[in-house]
């Protein structure tokens, strides 16, 4: 039997809520679609993947106030964060089981990914990257601040660990920016559409390498910003990269407002992984946003490329 590879998946990742999930412009089953794509194209089986535990209440409190966590027992509050008004009328138990638990498993996957990346040099969580969640509030379909949680958990063992967060989702990573602020052990490089949600000016002050883009930026410009930013990151000397690889920069995405092609996304991921491998920095990749029906396929293609180009060499 082939050994495990540090790609993390749980059958609990997908979000299915009696069809209500279809009201959100989000392919909520992209997680298992990416998993199936990898099984098919890399000849992997269930036992080759790592499976996360659900995040504990205690772990959630590493980043969140108890008041905020308690507020999730209100369906109205969950509906507001998910940006689907109808959810306010759904029994909270159902929301817990079908919406919040998948994201709790996703957060558990990010925590496991942090350990595996430090051990093997790389890890990919086929979920996670809830980059809008703050200490005392959730927003933009993000409930749990998985990035600050995994970083603080790693700091318990290695307090000096320097973490570079590369957030290339189409939206600003205002959640982790607000939580981690100007901690000198963290460096943030964020490229996002500067003309859409969240435009969080307060959180923006904490970005080290800040690239707010105009809408409809295409491959060539986008990729030159990625390269330029990665060069700037050299000065930080990171011990770990957390790569928030949202695919909502895709030209057909309804929310991201950018015009990057599928090939552009694959090239972007390749640039980030090349940077990590060349500089020998462990990397944890999270899927984050990406709401179009093509997302799962693009992610699958990109991960197969990354695996063949870089990761076989690392094993
Ligand atoms: Zn996004």
């Amino acid at each position: 039997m082939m050994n495990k590879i540090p790609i993390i998946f749980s059958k609990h990742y997908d979000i299915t809520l009696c069809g209500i999930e279809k009201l959100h412009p989000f392919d909520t089953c992209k997680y298992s679609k990416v998993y199936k794509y990898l099984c098919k194209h890399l000849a992997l089986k269930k036992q080759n993947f790592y499976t996360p535990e659900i995040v504990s209440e205690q772990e959630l409190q590493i980043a969140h106030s108890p008041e905020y966590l308690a507020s999730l027992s209100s369906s109205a509050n969950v509906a507001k964060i998910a940006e689907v008004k109808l959810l306010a009328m759904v029994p909270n138990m159902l929301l817990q089981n079908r919406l919040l638990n998948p994201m709790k498993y996703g957060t558990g996957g990010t925590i496991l990914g942090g350990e595996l990346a430090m051990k093997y040099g790389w890890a990919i969580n086929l979920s996670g990257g809830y980059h809008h969640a703050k200490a005392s509030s959730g927003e933009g379909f993000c409930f749990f601040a998985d990035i600050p949680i995994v970083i603080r958990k790693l700091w318990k063992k290695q307090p000096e660990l320097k973490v570079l967060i590369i957030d290339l989702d189409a939206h600003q990573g205002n959640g982790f920016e607000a939580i981690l602020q100007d901690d000198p052990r963290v460096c943030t490089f964020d490229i996002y559409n500067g003309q859409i949600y969240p435009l969080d000016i307060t959180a923006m002050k904490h970005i080290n390498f800040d690239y707010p883009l105009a809408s409809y930026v295409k491959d060539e410009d986008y990729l030159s910003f990625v390269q330029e930013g990665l060069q700037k990151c050299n000065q930080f000397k990171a011990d770990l990269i957390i790569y928030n690889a949202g695919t909502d920069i895709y030209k057909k995405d309804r929310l991201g407002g950018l015009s990057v092609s599928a090939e552009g996304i694959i090239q972007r991921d390749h640039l980030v992984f090349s940077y990590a491998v060349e500089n020998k920095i462990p990397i944890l990749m999270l899927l984050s946003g990406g709401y179009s029906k093509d997302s799962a396929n693009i992610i699958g293609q990109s991960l197969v490329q990354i695996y063949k180009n870089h990761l076989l060499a690392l094993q």
Side-chain angles (χ1 to χ4, degrees):
M1 195 188 82
M2 221 178 113
N3 290 332
K4 275 191 191 309
I5 53 169
I7 301 182
I8 302 146
F9 176 72
S10 164
K11 62 179 181 186
H12 303 294
Y13 279 178
D14 282 354
I15 297 161
T16 52
L17 199 66
C18 319
I20 295 174
E21 74 278 4
K22 298 197 172 71
L23 298 174
H24 199 278
F26 188 90
D27 180 3
T28 51
C29 293
K30 76 168 174 182
Y31 316 105
S32 63
K33 286 180 188 164
V34 174
Y35 166 75
K36 283 175 193 153
Y37 189 101
L38 295 181
C39 287
K40 187 176 167 194
H41 291 86
L42 293 173
L44 297 173
K45 293 201 163 61
K46 194 177 154 196
Q47 58 265 32
N48 299 127
F49 292 80
Y50 280 86
T51 315
E53 302 283 332
I54 193 166
V55 66
S56 70
E57 214 47 32
Q58 207 181 2
E59 286 170 321
L60 290 175
Q61 286 182 16
I62 293 172
H64 297 290
S65 67
E67 294 75 19
Y68 166 63
L69 295 172
S71 79
L72 299 177
S73 58
S74 144
S75 293
N77 203 27
V78 172
K80 210 174 86 202
I81 297 167
E83 296 174 355
V84 180
K85 282 189 186 137
L86 256 179
L87 293 183
M89 297 186 290
V90 175
N92 191 260
M93 189 56 88
L94 198 58
L95 292 181
Q96 294 287 338
N97 288 337
R98 302 291 188 90
L99 181 65
L100 297 181
N101 280 352
M103 297 199 201
K104 284 184 180 175
Y105 276 100
T107 303
T110 300
I111 293 171
L112 177 58
E115 290 168 27
L116 295 177
M118 293 308 292
K119 196 169 166 189
Y120 297 107
W122 65 281
I124 298 164
N125 180 18
L126 299 183
S127 183
Y130 312 123
H131 62 161
H132 301 306
K134 295 182 176 174
S136 300
S137 59
E139 59 179 76
F141 207 66
C142 295
F143 293 85
F144 308 117
D146 58 332
I147 295 173
I149 291 173
V150 67
I151 293 174
R152 286 178 176 168
K153 281 209 75 156
L154 291 168
W155 279 344
K156 283 185 183 168
K157 285 186 202 156
Q158 282 179 268
E160 306 297 319
L161 190 82
K162 291 176 73 180
V163 185
L164 168 63
I165 305 172
I166 300 177
D167 190 341
L168 303 186
D169 182 277
H171 300 91
Q172 180 201 347
N174 61 327
F176 65 78
E177 287 155 10
I179 293 174
L180 297 167
Q181 302 211 347
D182 295 323
D183 193 306
R185 297 169 293 178
V186 174
C187 176
T188 50
F189 165 30
D190 197 347
I191 307 184
Y192 53 95
N193 187 338
Q195 298 180 313
I196 58 168
Y197 167 86
L199 288 186
D200 188 330
I201 308 287
T202 312
M204 232 173 259
K205 295 192 182 103
H206 306 300
I207 305 173
N208 297 82
F209 307 120
D210 187 15
Y211 287 83
L213 306 181
S215 289
Y216 310 117
V217 164
K218 292 192 175 66
D219 289 22
E220 199 183 323
D221 286 338
Y222 184 85
L223 294 171
S224 71
F225 291 130
V226 173
Q227 279 175 310
E228 186 187 302
L230 287 172
Q231 285 308 311
K232 289 185 184 171
C233 291
N234 279 337
Q235 55 190 270
F236 178 67
K237 310 263 177 262
D239 301 309
L240 172 68
I241 293 170
I242 295 181
Y243 173 33
N244 205 44
T247 43
D248 49 2
I249 62 167
Y250 183 48
K251 59 186 176 186
K252 288 185 196 162
D253 188 274
R254 286 165 60 190
L255 301 179
L258 296 174
S259 298
V260 179
S261 69
E263 296 71 35
I265 292 172
I266 293 166
Q267 182 62 16
R268 173 197 72 170
D269 293 348
H270 171 75
L271 287 172
V272 175
F273 267 83
S274 298
Y275 178 83
V277 170
E278 280 161 20
N279 291 286
K280 299 189 172 60
I281 308 169
I283 180 166
L284 166 61
M285 174 173 172
L286 311 172
L287 296 196
S288 200
Y291 312 98
S292 80
K293 295 295 169 202
D294 299 337
S295 274
N297 231 343
I298 299 171
I299 296 163
Q301 285 179 52
S302 186
L303 294 186
V304 167
Q305 283 302 313
I306 287 170
Y307 187 77
K308 290 182 174 164
N309 289 338
H310 301 295
L311 303 182
L312 279 176
L314 278 176
Q315 279 189 319

